[in-house]
């Protein structure tokens, strides 16, 4: 390996150049162009000269581009350099192996050049017997120094010294801790090396000042990083259970990375899944960036911080500590823990530093620097071994062949692979440290993390003590322990601040707070204390003073605590929260009730001028400094925030409306509620219609039914309306007479509908029970903006509602709803309990108050008659209140946010604010009589049906009186009978005759007079038929044909819409023809004789009485008319025989 360095021109010997890989000759660079302009040849003699300013600026511009370097330095062509003498490596001629070049950057010094060379030789000789494949390491006997402090020298080093020599890596070693220009130059150099793709193995004491964003390049960091220092600091805090601290930094390089790494470490310590660290909840009280220490540290002195982590330079730390002493931040209760940048390389410390400071430290003196040379070279060598041992890299070369000129080879593509090989090495500690490993006990392999930092870091823990125990006028750092990344913290013999022998608490000493409160369940509940002991039970809370200051004067405290007039037990949500604060912040407290019992509003005098107004209640107690804090369900609003300070809200709330449930009734439409509107519409207008039309259609098409004829059979009573009657009766399972279809298909469809009806009715009945229970009625207000509250007189009597005066609810309503506020003043109640009582008794319709309080009281109502309605109005939150500018506000704020994050507030909320009302069992009976209003819906349904029936009756009268005449003219054939048989019969004479015949056929008399009258009518009909036939024969004998006008007609009417009747002749009705002939032949004498007979038969007041009864359409069933016929056949004599006798005579 060839070690190549660069230093100023007057110290530089004859430069040497790189040997081409695999040969003993030297290669010159080839002239190239950039943008068509020649940079000129750089010969051997001119290699040390600087570039022109124009070229330098162009190089800086191109180097800093993300795409990498596109510049190549050109050397004189044709110049052949002398070959190096042959060197043998393990008996093999050096020409057979390729010599690797590595650039090394060391601090500029003349005194240590020989030591530098020894350490380089020591590092390279370690690999004389190590397999490096086709490569070998070779050291030069000339040690050159380089001090990089400007961009020009950085570019010279890279472009004129390292890149032409094909360096495979760059070793960057420095123990400078000035954190100034040199740190910025180092940052620039490492950034450029990362762009080139060349790995950098660094050991720089000021690496904490390098930006972490650029450390993820091709860099291996051998020195402890700022991440390790932060972990060591937090380990000290964990050891002494200091959970809260403040970060203080100057504008030192890398201060943002320090703050971020501390925050990351805090998160890792708080992660319960990380078993490598104890689970501790750290709190960063504040982060202070110091510009002017005297001003910036005032905020720290006003906070609760007692532990400070400082990151700055040593000079800046002196200024910060002087200001801290003036502000009292360097006393015995304050602990300062500092980083390596404050400790420095020397043991001596400035006298401005207070005794008891702790620091994390690692060696950065010349010996540590020399040791770092050996370690970095060996890390490089083991990286080469790791690289060549991978078979995938057999044909890959470790010569970058980069140049600062031209547009090719601007980045080494193999650099990432070589860097990964270095990062993945695992070297035994003894192999890396010759003679340096005895300083630490346990030895673990040297390994690196993914970000290139070491995995095996050991830091010293130092303690600032007095160097002269007699005068205490000097300070020095003393090692008191170690921190190891793999073993944790080992520490002892600490001198604490103020020369104390015990560690400070890390938190402020306990202080006492006077806390004013106002009771309101469930936030603060009050109950009497034990009358004997004067103490509160474990579940009764803590003692709180309820008497005013005047009553407490010259009172025996022991006796007063046993008297509920002076002290009571306070418990609730806020009391549990106060206990948690007291435990975490370390303070004691005294609770006392506000004297006027008011929350805190502005009270105006009669003049209502602003200058005459004053605050009352809790706000007044804080403003007059009678209390240090106010604790209760204290609502935050803008008026209060203008005079006192609030913490962040611990609960959200608003203004709600409380109403009471009234004895309810069953809804008048309860019978419709088992199904929604869409379901009812589907049943009424789809299911019923489809079923009825389908059944009737199948009946009309069926051969056993209508057989597709218009006129129904005489003995078949079925129509569309009767189909609807059937469908409705089956659907509701009504026990009424229905006419059934004859067709098989229609009957099958009716059965299908019956199955649907069973399912429908079962679902309806099952759900109806849930809707027929008693409904609880209440005023369902939509919110404070409800029109019934804004205008109470919309109802008679007017709505009555109120709230509690001098509360946030009243203030909000007075401000945003003045009209509503003025109306409700006469109904306001002094307490929440009174307001709820008036609502339950019906004296008020609603009560307006804080939402969370009302929700809690609703859940505690034993009768379960209360409920809150509407949306919450004027959303805000409950907060802890402090006097303006109180120093306690920040601490309570911080802990309160932690409680919200870790679920403590949620736990208290579940315990105190949740629950449901539980009515007393002895106040309820298992069954109670039903009142009339509880089944009012049934009566409503009945009355609605009566009204609908009355409407139908009126329509029926209108039909018979006005519409039937017109309809009979248009429906001469009886088409309306398809829809309704009754309507069809009422429109035609033939239908009326059929109906009369049916009545006669099915008529049964109850007395002999009725039977005699029927026999007489039948006898006369038979005589008329005989005479008609006799007259027809006489006319035919004289050659005269009877007129067809009076001839008997068939039952079909050609001009009608009816189809011809196919029934047998004996079933046809001859009555129309008989009556026509009989009317034409009847003489006046016959008419008189008939009238005389009629009078004779009607003499004695004979009355025809008939009885209607239900019959079936089924022809198989015997009819009652047959018995009547048999009865008539038994009458003496035959009408036909008598007529024949009279003819013969």
């Amino acid at each position: 390996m060839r070690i190549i360095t660069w230093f100023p021109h007057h110290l530089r010997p004859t430069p040497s150049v790189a040997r081409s890989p695999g040969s003993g000759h030297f290669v010159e660079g080839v002239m190239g162009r950039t943008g068509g302009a020649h940079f000129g040849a750089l010969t051997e003699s001119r290699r040390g000269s600087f570039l022109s300013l124009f070229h330098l600026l162009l190089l800086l511009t191109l180097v800093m581009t993300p795409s990498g370097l596109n510049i190549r330095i050109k050397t004189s062509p044709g110049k052949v350099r002398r070959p190096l003498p042959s060197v043998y490596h393990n008996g093999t001629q050096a020409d057979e192996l390729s010599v690797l070049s590595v650039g090394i950057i060391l601090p500029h010094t003349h005194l240590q050049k020989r030591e530098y060379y020894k350490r380089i030789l020591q590092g390279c000789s370690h690999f004389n017997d190590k397999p490096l494949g086709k490569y070998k390491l070779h050291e030069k006997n000339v040690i050159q120094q380089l001090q990089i402090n400007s961009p020009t020298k950085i570019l010279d080093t890279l472009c004129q010294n390292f890149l032409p020599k094909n360096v495979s890596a760059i070793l960057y070693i420095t123990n400078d801790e000035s954190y100034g220009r040199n740190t910025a130059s180092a940052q620039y150099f490492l950034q450029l090396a990362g762009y080139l793709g060349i790995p950098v193995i660094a050991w720089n004491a000021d690496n904490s000042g390098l930006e972490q964003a650029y450390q993820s390049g091709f860099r291996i960091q051998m020195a402890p990083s700022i991440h390790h220092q932060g972990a060591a600091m937090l380990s000290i805090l964990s050891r002494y259970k200091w959970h809260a601290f403040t970060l203080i930094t100057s504008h030192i390089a890398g201060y943002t990375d320090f703050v971020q790494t501390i925050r990351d470490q805090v998160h890792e310590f708080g992660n319960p899944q990380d078993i490598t660290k104890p689970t501790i909840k750290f709190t960063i009280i504040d982060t202070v960036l110091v510009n002017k220490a005297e001003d910036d540290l005032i905020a720290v002195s006003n906070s609760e911080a007692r532990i400070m982590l400082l990151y700055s330079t040593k000079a800046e730390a002196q200024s910060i500590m002087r200001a801290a002493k003036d502000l009292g931040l360097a006393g015995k209760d304050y602990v300062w823990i500092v980083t390596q940048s404050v400790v420095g390389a020397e043991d001596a410390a400035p006298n401005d530093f207070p005794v008891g400071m702790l620091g994390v430290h690692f060696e950065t003196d010349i010996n540590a620097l020399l040791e770092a040379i050996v370690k970095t070279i060996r890390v490089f060598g083991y990286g080469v071994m790791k690289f060549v041992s991978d078979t995938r890299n057999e044909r890959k070369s470790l010569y970058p062949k980069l140049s600062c000129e031209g547009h090719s080879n601007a980045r080494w593509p193999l650099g990432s692979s070589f860097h990964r090989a270095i990062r993945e090495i695992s070297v035994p500690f003894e192999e890396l440290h010759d003679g340096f490993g005895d300083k630490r006990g346990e030895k673990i392999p040297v390994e690196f993390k993914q970000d290139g930092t070491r995995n095996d870091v050991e830091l010293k823990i130092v303690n600032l003590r007095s160097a002269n125990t007699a005068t205490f006028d000097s300070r020095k750092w003393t090692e008191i322990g170690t921190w190891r990344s793999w073993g944790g913290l080992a520490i002892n013999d600490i001198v604490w601040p103020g020369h104390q022998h015990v560690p400070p608490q890390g938190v402020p000493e306990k202080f006492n707070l006077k806390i004013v409160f106002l009771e309101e369940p469930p936030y603060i509940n009050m109950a009497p204390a034990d009358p004997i002991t004067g103490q509160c039970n474990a579940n009764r809370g803590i003692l709180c003073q309820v008497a005013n200051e005047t009553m407490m004067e010259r009172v025996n405290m022991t006796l007063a605590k046993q008297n509920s007039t002076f002290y009571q037990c306070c418990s609730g949500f806020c009391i549990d929260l106060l206990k948690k604060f007291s435990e975490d912040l370390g303070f004691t407290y005294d609770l006392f009730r506000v004297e006027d019992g008011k929350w805190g509003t502005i009270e105006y005098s009669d003049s209502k001028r602003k200058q005459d107004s004053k605050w009352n209640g809790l706000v007044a107690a804080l403003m007059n400094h009678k209390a240090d804090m106010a604790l209760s369900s204290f609502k935050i609003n803008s008026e209060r925030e203008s005079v006192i300070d609030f913490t962040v809200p611990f609960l959200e709330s608003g203004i709600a409306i409380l109403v009471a449930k009234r004895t309810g009734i069953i809804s008048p439409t309860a019978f419709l509620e088992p199904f929604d509107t869409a379901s009812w519409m589907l049943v009424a207008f789809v299911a019923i219609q489809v079923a009825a039309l389908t059944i009737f259609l199948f009946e009309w098409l069926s051969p056993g039914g209508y057989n597709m004829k218009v006129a129904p059979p005489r003995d078949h009573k079925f129509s569309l309306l009767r189909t609807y009657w059937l469908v409705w009766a089956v659907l509701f399972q009504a026990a009424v007479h229905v006419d059934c279809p004859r067709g098989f298909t229609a009957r099958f469809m009716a059965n299908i509908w019956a199955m649907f009806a069973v399912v429908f009715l079962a679902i309806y009945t099952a759900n109806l029970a849930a809707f027929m229970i008693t409904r609880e009625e209440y005023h369902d207000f939509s919110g404070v903006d409800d029109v019934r509250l804004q205008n109470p007189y919309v109802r008679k009597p007017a709505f009555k509602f109120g709230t509690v005066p001098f509360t946030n609810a009243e203030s909000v309503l007075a401000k945003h709803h003045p009209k509503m506020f003025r109306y409700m003043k006469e109904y306001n109640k002094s307490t929440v309990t009174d307001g709820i009582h008036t609502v339950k008794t019906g004296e008020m319709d609603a009560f307006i108050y804080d939402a969370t309080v009302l929700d809690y009281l609703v859940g505690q109502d034993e009768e379960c008659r209360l409920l809150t309605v509407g949306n919450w109005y004027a959303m805000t939150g409950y907060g802890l209140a402090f006097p303006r500018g109180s120093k306690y506000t920040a601490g309570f704020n911080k802990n309160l946010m932690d409680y919200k994050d870790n679920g403590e507030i949620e736990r208290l909320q579940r315990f105190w604010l949740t629950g449901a009302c539980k009515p007393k069992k002895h106040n309820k009976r298992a069954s109670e009589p039903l009142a009339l209003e509880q089944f009012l819906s049934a009566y409503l349904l009945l009355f609605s049906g009566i009204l609908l029936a009355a409407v139908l009756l009126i329509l029926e009268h209108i039909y018979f009186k006005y519409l039937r005449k017109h309809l009979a003219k248009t429906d001469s054939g009886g088409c309306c009978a398809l829809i309704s048989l009754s309507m069809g019969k009422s429109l035609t004479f033939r239908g009326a005759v059929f109906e009369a015949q049916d009545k006669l056929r099915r008529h049964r008399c109850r007395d002999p007079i009725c039977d005699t009258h029927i026999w007489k009518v039948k006898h006369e009909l038979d005589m008329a038929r005989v005479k008609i036939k006799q007259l027809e024969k006489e006319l035919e004998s004289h050659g005269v044909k009877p007129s067809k006008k009076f001839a008997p007609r068939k039952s079909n009417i050609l001009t009608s819409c009816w189809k011809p009747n196919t029934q047998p002749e004996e079933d046809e009705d001859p009555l129309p023809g008989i009556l026509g002939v009989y009317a034409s032949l009847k003489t006046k004498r016959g008419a008189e004789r008939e009238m005389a007979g009629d009078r004779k038969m009607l003499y004695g007041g004979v009355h025809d009485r008939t009885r209607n009864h239900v019959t079936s359409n089924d022809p198989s069933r015997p009819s009652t008319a047959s018995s009547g016929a048999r009865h008539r056949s038994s009458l003496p004599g035959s009408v036909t025989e008598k007529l024949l006798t009279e003819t013969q005579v």
Side-chain angles (χ1 to χ4, degrees), residues 231 236 262 515 708 904 993 1113:
I236 298 174
I262 292 296
I515 302 176
M708 295 183 291
E904 183 67 23
V993 172
N1113 289 336

Side-chain angles (χ1 to χ4, degrees), residues 230-249:
M233 288 174 144
L234 292 182
S235 296
I236 298 174
L237 268 63
S238 174
R239 169 73 177 270
Y240 295 101
K241 300 185 183 331
W242 296 330
H243 294 180
F245 60 91
T246 292
L247 294 176
I248 301 176
T249 70

Side-chain angles (χ1 to χ4, degrees), residues 773-792:
I773 60 176
T774 303
R775 295 291 180 89
E776 293 176 334
E777 299 293 329
Y778 57 88
H779 297 297
D780 189 12
F781 297 107
S782 61
V784 173
D785 295 324
D786 195 291
V787 65
R788 291 171 289 180
L789 299 178
Q790 297 294 326
N791 186 13

Side-chain angles (χ1 to χ4, degrees), residues 1032 1035 1040-1049 1073 1076-1077 1080:
E1032 287 179 350
L1035 291 174
V1040 179
K1041 293 184 178 180
S1043 175
K1044 293 183 178 181
K1045 178 178 180 182
F1046 302 103
R1049 291 178 297 177
V1077 177
S1080 62

Side-chain angles (χ1 to χ4, degrees), residues 282-486:
F282 287 114
T283 301
I284 302 177
I285 297 177
D286 197 4
T287 301
V288 180
L289 179 61
V290 177
N291 293 305
K292 187 177 181 181
E294 293 80 3
D295 298 332
D296 297 332
L297 293 182
I298 294 177
V300 180
S301 64
N302 293 332
S303 69
E304 305 298 325
R306 296 295 181 268
I307 309 298
M308 267 68 72
L309 305 187
L310 176 61
Y311 175 62
S312 67
T313 63
K314 184 180 290 188
E316 292 169 336
Q318 287 183 261
S319 175
I320 291 173
M321 294 313 303
R322 282 194 295 267
K325 284 183 178 180
D326 295 338
L327 294 172
L329 297 175
K332 63 182 180 62
D333 296 326
Y334 295 86
V335 179
W336 291 76
I337 305 176
V338 299
T339 59
Q340 165 66 24
S341 61
V342 177
V343 176
E346 300 177 356
D347 294 339
N351 292 336
D352 295 321
F353 290 2
V355 173
M357 290 180 69
L358 297 176
V360 292
H361 172 65
F362 61 92
E363 298 293 344
T364 58
D365 55 11
I366 188 62
N367 293 327
L369 178 71
L370 297 175
E371 180 185 355
I373 296 174
V374 178
K375 291 188 292 185
T376 54
I377 293 176
R378 292 185 179 179
V379 167
F380 172 76
Y382 280 108
V384 175
M385 292 177 59
K386 178 75 173 178
F387 182 82
V388 300
S389 63
D390 191 345
T391 57
R392 295 173 296 180
N393 300 326
E394 290 181 356
R395 298 185 179 182
K396 297 179 180 179
S397 173
L398 287 177
Y399 295 98
K401 299 180 181 180
L402 300 177
S403 175
C404 289
E405 187 170 340
H407 298 279
S408 61
N409 297 333
R411 183 180 179 88
W412 187 21
L414 198 60
S416 60
S417 300
F418 186 38
H419 172 263
R420 183 169 56 253
I422 300 174
R423 192 184 63 215
E424 293 176 353
I425 66 171
S426 179
V427 183
F429 185 83
E430 299 81 1
E431 295 290 331
L432 205 61
H433 301 75
D434 284 345
F436 301 106
D438 297 335
K439 291 188 290 184
R440 71 177 184 180
E442 183 183 1
K443 303 177 179 64
I444 65 171
V446 176
E447 297 174 345
F448 297 94
K449 297 180 180 179
Q450 192 70 21
D451 60 355
T453 59
R454 287 183 63 171
N455 198 35
D456 61 318
V457 172
E458 180 177 303
L459 291 171
K460 295 180 180 180
I461 307 299
V462 294
N463 181 215
L464 187 63
R465 303 181 178 183
S466 298
N468 189 342
T469 57
T471 61
F472 301 102
D473 57 353
S474 60
R475 308 282 190 268
K476 72 172 183 178
W477 294 103
T478 303
E479 181 180 352
I480 59 172
T482 58
W483 176 86
R484 294 170 179 170
S485 59
W486 69 92

Side-chain angles (χ1 to χ4, degrees), residues 693-730:
L693 294 175
T694 306
I695 294 174
F696 183 74
L697 178 62
F698 289 161
E699 179 68 9
W700 186 77
L701 296 173
S702 175
Y706 277 82
N707 197 18
M708 295 183 291
K709 295 178 181 179
V710 176
R714 291 180 56 186
D715 55 351
H716 183 32
K717 296 182 178 181
F718 201 74
S719 64
L720 181 60
L721 293 182
R722 294 181 183 235
T723 306
Y724 275 105
W725 179 254
L726 170 67
V727 168
W728 280 100
V730 172

Side-chain angles (χ1 to χ4, degrees), residues 283 285-286 299 302-304 581 585 645-647 882 885-897:
T283 301
I285 297 177
D286 197 4
N302 293 332
S303 69
E304 305 298 325
F581 277 121
L585 296 179
D645 290 339
F646 280 96
T647 62
F882 297 87
S886 173
K887 64 178 182 180
Y888 303 114
T889 307
F892 278 86
N893 252 336
K894 179 62 179 176
N895 281 59
L896 189 56
M897 288 187 290

Side-chain angles (χ1 to χ4, degrees), residues 196-269:
L196 292 171
I198 300 177
V200 177
I201 304 174
W203 186 93
N204 53 316
D206 61 350
N207 76 85
S208 61
L210 304 179
E211 296 181 17
Q212 300 295 314
Y214 296 104
Q215 292 191 17
S216 59
F218 298 150
R219 188 168 78 96
I220 302 295
Q221 181 57 255
M222 299 289 293
S225 66
I226 193 63
H227 182 83
H228 296 119
Q229 297 183 52
M233 288 174 144
L234 292 182
S235 296
I236 298 174
L237 268 63
S238 174
R239 169 73 177 270
Y240 295 101
K241 300 185 183 331
W242 296 330
H243 294 180
F245 60 91
T246 292
L247 294 176
I248 301 176
T249 70
S250 65
H251 285 274
I252 183 176
Y255 73 90
T256 56
D257 293 322
F258 171 74
V259 174
Q260 186 59 44
T261 192
I262 292 296
R263 294 185 184 276
D264 295 341
Q265 290 282 343
V266 165
H267 178 72
E268 292 177 9
F269 272 93

